Amino acid sequence: MRTTRDFVTPGRSMAIGDRGMVATSHPASSVAALDVLREGGNAVDAAIAGVAVQCVVDPHMTGIGGDCFALYAPKGGMPIALNGSGRAPAAATLGWYQERGMTAIPDLTPHAVTVPGAIDAWCRLHEDHGSLPLERLFAPAIGFAENGFRVTPRVAYDWAKLTDKLSRNPAAAAQYLPGGQAPAVGERRAQPALGATLRAVAKHGRKAFYEGSVAEEIVATLRELGGLHTVDDFAAQTSDYVAPIAADYAGVTVHECPPNGQGLAALVIMRIMAGFDLRNASEADRVHIHAEATKAAYRLRDFIVCDPSVTPVDVDRVLSEPFIARLREGIRMDRSAPAESWDEAIHKDTIYLTVVDRDLNAISFINSLFAGFGSGIYAPKAGVVLQNRGLSFRLVPGHANAIAPRKRPMHTIIPGMVTQGGHCVMPFGVMGGQYQSAGHAHFIARVFELGMSPQEASDAPRSFAFDGVLTIEDSIRPEIVADLKGRGHTVALTDDPTGGCQAIWIDREKGALFGASDHRKDGMALGW
């Protein structure tokens, strides 16, 4: 892995430390997490502090009304996984929606809202692996919520695109569209109601969110709009430790959370790509192989990835060489395959962060509202924007993702982790909604096949084959675009940033930590 870069070409150097490293997509989150490490907190403490800040200062991307997944490697060993995704209401039977003539979960309605799982997951991680009090960890976030924060450039860029959604909910508009407009770069905003809720959780733990006045207000808000949620649904929310799934690739092992997350699709893409010589391929060939592997993996994902407690997923069979070989055999180097089938919601709003502490405890942590500002439904007294993760449910009898009582939907948010020889060598993640599985494979291939540093791999131009179109960032060279069009790809150039990456490389030989953070976001990696 390269540790230097071309200092003439625009880009970022990796952050370097040996007592701790954080990488987040917002500078205030990175500072809060690093401060916790410097005060003696561990990786879990720092991750909780960082994500809490980001739920305040990056409110369209994440929030306590959303969900969370984490991979955690104690002492730099093998990872464990925590599923902090929420469930459908107990009354959400398929028949209820069919009787009302619905053929899909309607967006921007309470039916798209599942019970938020984030706070339960944070508290579970803190209880089992944290060391500092929640009051200390939430203090920076509470300060930003009550005293205000300055809007950063990428946050302002995204916030402005969500004006129409926010304007449909009077309570959300009052909080997030001051004067009828999204805040500009550098403006000061505050979220005092959210600060009060964070104070309550810091003092009383998960019950301050899932029981009492906060849960009661959220439920009342949803039921007033026709939702099926009850206070019992909130009280029943739990996070679950689950065994990670994994696949070998280019001399390392890549770990993902199991279904109901789409990490399986990321591993399928990597397993398909492993059958090609990417090191000696042209860049056009690499983009083509990645696109074709993505289409094959996403077709499979949409058919089988679901809540395994309802419909088990045979992960071992899917990742077996005979199964992968059949998918790989369908790829032609001279011709693009037909588009994958797709009829679910599109979103690209999530935050990902990673922390490694002085003892090499490593955490890969992701938190999301699904779409920007989630469902757009806001509980003003609690200061909580509610996710719209229920859009991933289907209203089709017999489908793996058919909605059912207390069922979890398929999730796009996926933390990743790489091990070698039984040790964690790199927690990483690539946010970006549906892109995340493709993004994991793109990033990992560039680090372990092409020898790029994590920062170079993060900076590399991205492409995404999705819904019949191969979207390519406009930094990719014109001759590559022409080559791909000649293979039958429907190519769309975009100047909109695709995803966002954070990663930390653990170099045991040097005793150093190398941090990378995507230039497409406002954030940074900081080492101690």
Side-chain angles (χ1 to χ4, degrees):
M1 183 194 77
R2 287 194 292 267
T3 55
T4 60
R5 68 177 179 89
D6 179 350
F7 292 104
V8 176
T9 303
R12 290 181 171 184
S13 296
M14 288 188 292
I16 301 175
D18 56 14
R19 301 180 69 183
M21 178 66 66
V22 305
T24 90
S25 56
H26 195 287
S29 178
S30 294
V31 170
L34 189 67
D35 283 347
V36 166
L37 292 184
R38 289 168 65 90
E39 291 178 26
N42 62 26
V44 168
D45 296 325
I48 292 171
V51 73
V53 165
Q54 210 144 356
C55 287
V56 177
V57 303
D58 210 352
H60 63 293
M61 283 285 176
T62 195
I64 64 174
D67 284 342
C68 168
F69 288 81
L71 290 168
Y72 178 57
K75 305 295 184 181
M78 297 296 286
I80 57 176
L82 183 69
N83 182 335
S85 62
R87 297 171 171 86
T93 63
L94 179 60
W96 189 92
Y97 297 95
Q98 291 177 319
E99 289 166 6
R100 287 153 181 80
M102 297 184 194
T103 57
I105 299 293
D107 196 6
L108 309 184
T109 73
H111 305 303
V113 179
T114 50
V115 176
I119 288 292
D120 184 83
W122 300 2
C123 291
R124 184 73 177 274
L125 278 169
H126 179 260
E127 179 180 354
D128 295 341
H129 303 287
S131 62
L132 298 183
L134 277 179
E135 288 93 337
R136 164 61 189 91
L137 304 183
F138 280 13
I142 292 169
F144 284 123
E146 295 180 344
N147 302 319
F149 60 92
R150 297 289 178 178
V151 176
T152 53
R154 179 61 197 269
V155 172
Y157 173 84
D158 293 328
W159 201 325
K161 294 182 177 182
L162 297 163
T163 301
D164 181 64
K165 173 186 279 191
L166 292 169
S167 66
R168 300 183 188 189
N169 184 283
Q175 171 61 43
Y176 294 108
L177 297 178
Q181 295 182 330
V185 177
E187 285 191 25
R188 192 179 191 91
R189 296 298 303 147
Q191 299 196 67
L194 177 57
T197 296
L198 288 171
R199 279 191 182 278
V201 174
K203 185 175 182 179
H204 301 292
R206 71 170 300 282
K207 68 179 182 180
F209 186 88
Y210 294 97
E211 303 173 27
S213 61
V214 171
E216 289 166 2
E217 189 212 355
I218 293 173
V219 168
T221 299
L222 293 169
R223 293 190 72 88
E224 184 178 352
L225 297 171
L228 302 176
H229 308 73
T230 67
V231 291
D232 288 341
D233 292 324
F234 274 68
Q237 174 61 27
T238 58
S239 301
D240 301 308
Y241 285 108
V242 290
I245 59 176
D248 293 337
Y249 180 82
V252 296
T253 302
V254 183
H255 301 260
E256 302 275 355
C257 293
N260 56 313
Q262 68 164 333
L264 177 58
L267 298 180
V268 169
I269 297 171
M270 291 179 221
R271 293 279 290 111
I272 293 172
M273 290 168 54
F276 297 89
D277 183 6
L278 296 186
R279 289 183 179 88
N280 296 309
S282 68
E283 186 59 23
D285 281 347
R286 293 185 193 119
V287 174
H288 175 75
I289 292 166
H290 180 258
E292 298 305 290
T294 296
K295 286 187 281 189
Y298 278 44
R299 280 193 295 267
L300 181 67
R301 179 197 73 167
D302 300 339
F303 185 65
I304 67 170
V305 174
C306 61
D307 186 339
S309 69
V310 178
T311 305
V313 181
D314 192 344
V315 171
D316 290 339
R317 176 174 175 268
V318 169
L319 294 177
S320 69
E321 182 55 31
F323 192 96
I324 293 296
R326 289 197 295 272
L327 299 178
R328 194 183 292 133
E329 289 165 1
I331 296 177
R332 290 178 51 182
M333 291 303 298
D334 63 340
R335 181 57 45 185
S336 169
E340 76 281 3
S341 173
W342 180 254
D343 61 358
E344 291 191 20
I346 296 174
H347 90 290
K348 54 182 180 180
D349 299 303
T350 298
I351 70 100
Y352 170 83
L353 60 85
T354 179
V355 182
V356 177
D357 65 27
R358 63 167 70 83
D359 297 317
L360 299 186
N361 298 303
I363 189 163
S364 183
F365 194 102
I366 199 160
N367 212 91
S368 176
L369 290 171
F370 199 27
F373 285 111
S375 64
I377 298 172
Y378 179 65
K381 293 179 181 178
V384 176
V385 176
L386 295 162
Q387 56 163 274
N388 60 340
R389 185 60 63 176
L391 286 180
S392 292
F393 281 126
R394 304 289 187 93
L395 301 183
V396 178
H399 193 283
N401 266 307
I403 197 167
R406 299 273 169 88
K407 184 178 180 179
R408 284 168 159 154
M410 188 274 282
H411 258 264
T412 56
I413 61 173
I414 49 173
M417 189 169 284
V418 178
T419 64
Q420 191 171 36
H423 298 289
C424 173
V425 295
M426 189 173 70
F428 77 98
V430 183
M431 65 192 88
Q434 308 300 343
Y435 175 70
Q436 290 182 55
S437 288
H440 277 212
H442 178 269
F443 176 75
I444 290 296
R446 270 148 184 75
V447 174
F448 295 103
E449 288 271 30
L450 306 185
M452 293 182 178
S453 74
Q455 188 63 56
E456 288 177 309
S458 170
D459 292 343
R462 292 179 179 147
S463 60
F464 186 28
F466 184 75
D467 201 20
V469 177
L470 179 57
T471 301
I472 292 179
E473 290 184 331
D474 59 11
S475 55
I476 291 182
R477 300 194 306 274
E479 61 269 25
I480 295 174
V481 174
D483 183 306
L484 294 165
K485 288 181 177 178
R487 304 188 203 205
H489 290 284
T490 300
V491 176
L493 293 177
T494 180
D495 59 2
D496 202 34
T498 302
C501 176
Q502 272 80 237
I504 299 172
W505 176 259
I506 302 171
D507 190 325
R508 285 178 170 78
E509 289 186 7
K510 294 180 179 177
L513 303 171
F514 295 86
S517 185
D518 205 315
H519 69 277
R520 297 168 181 84
K521 300 284 185 177
D522 292 321
M524 61 185 68
L526 293 174
W528 176 34

